[in-house]
Amino acid sequence: MKRKLKLKPYVLPSVYIILVVGLTIGIYYAAKDMKKTKTIPNYNYVSSIILNKDIPVINETTRIIKPFTSETVQIGKYYYDYKGEAEGQEKSLTRHDNTYIQNSGLDYTAGEVFDVVTVLNGTVTKVTEDDLLGKTVEVKHDNDYITVYQSLSEVSVKKGDVVTQGQIIGKSGTNEIDKDLGNHLHFEMYLNGAIVNPADYIDKDINSKEE
């Protein structure tokens, strides 16, 4: 007659503990191996070249510059502002043949002849000469701007020329209608076909239009 083996009470729990510990260790090392062999994604990181100051910025603002570069130039006569005070309006009148004319731009004066430059990129649309106004250059720009440069003694561009901001287009001079100013530049600006005060736009962003 065979005797049945009888496990002692503490043996079975010990077996379970050994199995659980072994299984846990196996899972740990398997996960560790998978982590080592896992493929690293090929991410496209931002390059430091983007921070390079030499790369032009999109939507960079373009500011309207003064129509001259000489530091000796001053304003000799201001634009006639219909909404301005009477005292300022009186200083913006031009007298010619006993008739007072409202000044339609800014007159820049200097003791010596100075270079006249275009205030924005554009295309020369007119080059004329008049006994009263002297030599005149008209330039059409983007965003519906037009600028006019009068009382020039010399002109260095012709109709149809494409000019860049700051390019010399002529030199200051004299004319009959503003003889009292002597050597000067008469500068006018138009926006959407209407004349405007240039002082309101110089050094302003070309996209920031004041009505």
Side-chain angles (χ1 to χ4, degrees), residues 18-203:
I18 293 171
L19 288 175
V20 171
V21 172
L23 183 61
T24 302
I25 294 172
I27 292 173
Y28 169 78
Y29 282 106
K32 193 173 182 180
D33 290 339
M34 287 180 65
K35 190 174 182 180
K36 288 182 179 179
T37 57
K38 188 176 181 180
T39 303
I40 299 174
N42 185 20
Y43 292 115
N44 291 321
Y45 293 96
V46 177
S47 172
S48 60
I49 196 171
I50 292 178
L51 302 178
N52 192 329
K53 294 181 180 180
D54 295 333
I55 299 176
V57 179
I58 298 174
N59 294 328
E60 184 178 356
T61 58
T62 300
R63 294 191 176 276
I64 299 170
I65 66 173
K66 294 177 181 178
F68 56 86
T69 55
S70 173
E71 295 181 357
T72 64
V73 176
Q74 298 179 339
I75 296 179
K77 191 171 291 183
Y78 288 86
Y79 173 85
Y80 185 91
D81 186 357
Y82 290 90
K83 299 178 181 179
E85 297 180 359
E87 184 178 352
Q89 290 176 338
E90 289 178 9
K91 295 179 180 180
S92 302
L93 294 173
T94 298
R95 184 176 179 180
H96 179 70
D97 287 344
N98 296 320
T99 302
Y100 286 96
I101 303 170
Q102 297 159 344
N103 195 24
S104 55
L106 289 175
D107 290 289
Y108 294 103
T109 63
E112 298 180 351
V113 173
F114 56 88
D115 290 332
V116 175
V117 302
T118 181
V119 299
L120 288 167
N121 296 342
T123 303
V124 177
T125 49
K126 288 182 183 179
V127 176
T128 60
E129 185 171 1
D130 185 274
D131 291 338
L132 288 177
L133 304 176
K135 294 180 174 66
T136 299
V137 173
E138 179 185 280
V139 182
K140 188 177 187 307
H141 313 280
D142 291 338
N143 292 31
D144 300 314
Y145 285 96
I146 292 175
T147 52
V148 178
Y149 311 77
Q150 291 179 353
S151 188
L152 302 178
S153 59
E154 295 180 20
V155 174
S156 52
V157 292
K158 64 183 184 300
K159 182 179 179 180
D161 283 354
V162 175
V163 292
T164 58
Q165 186 181 57
Q167 179 178 332
I168 297 175
I169 59 174
K171 294 185 179 296
S172 61
T174 59
N175 61 28
E176 277 298 312
I177 202 168
D178 285 312
K179 283 193 296 186
D180 59 316
L181 290 176
N183 172 63
H184 74 287
L185 161 70
H186 178 77
F187 175 66
E188 295 180 359
M189 180 175 285
Y190 295 79
L191 176 59
N192 296 323
I195 195 163
V196 295
N197 184 356
D200 293 335
Y201 294 84
I202 290 174
D203 199 34

